[in-house]
Amino acid sequence: MSTTLTKLELDFPQITHHYRGKVRDVFTLNDQRVLMVVSDRISAFDHVLPAGIPYKGQVLNQLAAHFLRATSDIVPNWLEDTPDPNVSVGQACETIKIEMVIRGYLVGHAWREYKSGKRELCGVKMPDGMVENQPFPEPIITPATKAEEGHDEDISREDIIKRGIVIEKDYIQLEEFTRALFQRGTEMARERGLILVDTKYEFGYNAKGEITLIDEIHTPDSSRYFYADGYEDRLKKGERQKQLSKEFVREWLMENNFRGLEGQKMPEIPNEFVERVSNRYIELYEKVTGSKFNPAPIAHIQERVKRNVAEYLTR
């Protein structure tokens, strides 16, 4: 009996198409809507780890709904309902095939590039003399292409427009939405004693041709948070920041000689590490929302999801 949701097959007449992503299963419905199941799968370095993480899907789904509702005054978003703790339903949109990555601090991928000597990322200049975890003078936008398979790739604003991924007018609007969403997320994090370090947003066009925010926002899969308490002191001492994000999963994999490169073998995932990851996700939910996490029953998680989806579709 599995207590994690790593694979799910739904067979309802309203479903016309099924796409299985690294973490989410997206089912297209016959009424111009999509049903998104957020699994307990976890990915890093564009590879799905062999072990599911209990409650991870519920945390991501409920956090995303929390933030989508809190930012709906900034940009229209796809979400309509959440019929199960792991499921969201909303508008079907034509995906814009770039991720709008915004970074307030020099950390993660940006720091690895900076440490190698680079001073430009996605066509954006980075100042000399910075140290890891230091804030940029102002947040920088470093987009990435959305790959169907394999690694996403950094791309500049100029190349996005040159390739015709979006027209210039729409790209300018995407940047405006990205900065406004990041500002709102920063304010919400500050109220909870956190620093929103970096994140990514995905957009699409709805049936009316309007730019619409899709997927998740401000979750530990798409974002990085530092604890504000002690941040300045740790920065001055050059110490690692206390953070809530998926970065510690990447760090664990790197310590075990895996960075997703060709020829590298994914390490075995011990139960103790799975439990630690699950607890981290729950901790982030409670810290970010200020609400206690109420775990849904997972003894028969596949049956629960199917039952709730069936009831919703019959309504």
Side-chain angles (χ1 to χ4, degrees):
M1 179 176 64
S2 175
T3 56
T4 57
L5 187 66
T6 56
K7 188 176 182 181
L8 182 69
E9 299 294 336
L10 295 179
D11 184 19
F12 297 104
Q14 296 94 331
I15 294 173
T16 61
H17 183 261
H18 173 208
Y19 168 74
R20 187 172 193 243
K22 297 185 187 80
V23 172
R24 289 163 188 76
D25 285 83
V26 181
F27 298 87
T28 305
L29 304 179
N30 58 6
D31 59 0
Q32 294 190 315
R33 293 187 302 161
V34 292
L35 186 148
M36 182 183 292
V37 179
V38 187
S39 76
D40 294 321
R41 301 190 295 270
I42 186 168
S43 71
F45 299 117
D46 293 314
H47 285 69
V48 176
L49 276 64
I53 307 299
Y55 302 113
K56 173 183 177 285
Q58 180 183 348
V59 166
L60 292 186
N61 194 53
Q62 294 185 335
L63 263 183
H66 171 77
F67 282 112
L68 287 168
R69 290 168 181 144
T71 56
S72 60
D73 60 316
I74 296 173
V75 54
N77 68 62
W78 77 285
L79 182 66
E80 293 179 2
D81 204 352
T82 52
D84 178 90
N86 287 63
V87 178
S88 291
V89 179
Q91 302 173 66
C93 296
E94 179 189 349
T95 303
I96 297 173
K97 296 189 179 299
I98 50 173
E99 294 179 346
M100 296 298 290
V101 181
I102 182 165
R103 306 176 185 276
Y105 293 74
L106 181 60
V107 65
H109 171 63
W111 168 245
R112 290 189 283 271
E113 294 290 287
Y114 194 91
K115 189 168 60 172
S116 73
K118 296 180 181 178
R119 292 297 178 269
E120 185 175 299
L121 188 62
C122 301
V124 179
K125 301 289 186 184
M126 297 185 288
D128 285 320
M130 292 187 70
V131 297
E132 187 178 11
N133 302 326
Q134 182 179 347
F136 289 110
E138 65 176 54
I140 64 172
I141 294 177
T142 58
T145 58
K146 277 184 64 60
E148 294 291 336
E149 295 182 1
H151 294 276
D152 298 338
E153 295 182 358
D154 294 336
I155 187 170
S156 69
R157 169 181 179 160
E158 290 73 23
D159 281 343
I160 288 169
I161 296 167
K162 184 178 178 181
R163 292 189 197 178
I165 298 174
V166 292
I167 60 174
E168 185 173 10
K169 176 177 70 70
D170 284 358
Y171 183 80
I172 291 170
Q173 182 67 79
L174 291 176
E175 284 204 342
E176 290 176 358
F177 283 148
T178 296
R179 293 193 184 281
L181 289 165
F182 189 70
Q183 179 61 32
R184 178 68 57 82
T186 297
E187 292 165 359
M188 293 179 72
R190 187 183 299 124
E191 292 172 359
R192 303 298 314 149
L194 295 170
I195 296 169
L196 179 58
V197 176
D198 54 26
T199 190
K200 68 180 178 70
Y201 304 111
E202 298 185 34
F203 298 90
Y205 296 106
N206 66 14
K208 298 177 182 177
E210 300 166 329
I211 293 177
T212 302
L213 181 62
I214 61 174
D215 205 25
E216 61 177 358
I217 66 167
H218 299 162
T219 72
D221 266 26
S222 65
S223 313
R224 190 189 326 260
Y225 291 90
F226 289 158
Y227 282 87
D229 185 32
Y231 164 76
E232 291 289 351
D233 189 50
R234 284 187 284 269
L235 182 67
K236 288 175 184 175
K237 293 179 180 179
E239 297 175 351
R240 294 174 67 175
Q241 292 293 332
K242 185 181 179 184
Q243 63 174 286
L244 282 173
S245 73
K246 203 170 66 171
E247 184 66 14
F248 81 99
V249 176
R250 299 186 191 96
E251 291 171 351
W252 183 87
L253 288 171
M254 287 189 286
E255 289 168 6
N256 286 271
N257 304 311
F258 185 81
R259 294 188 59 165
L261 303 177
E262 190 174 347
Q264 292 183 336
K265 184 179 178 182
M266 175 76 71
E268 294 288 329
I269 311 298
N271 291 335
E272 178 272 331
F273 185 69
V274 169
E275 183 179 355
R276 187 147 52 99
V277 176
S278 180
N279 289 337
R280 282 282 190 101
Y281 273 86
I282 292 170
E283 179 188 1
L284 188 140
Y285 176 90
E286 295 183 338
K287 182 66 178 175
V288 167
T289 65
S291 302
K292 182 171 177 57
F293 179 72
N294 295 313
I298 59 173
H300 303 280
I301 188 168
Q302 289 197 17
E303 288 79 1
R304 186 204 78 203
V305 172
K306 288 179 180 179
R307 181 176 64 252
N308 287 336
V309 168
E311 290 175 0
Y312 179 80
L313 291 178
T314 55
R315 292 200 305 270

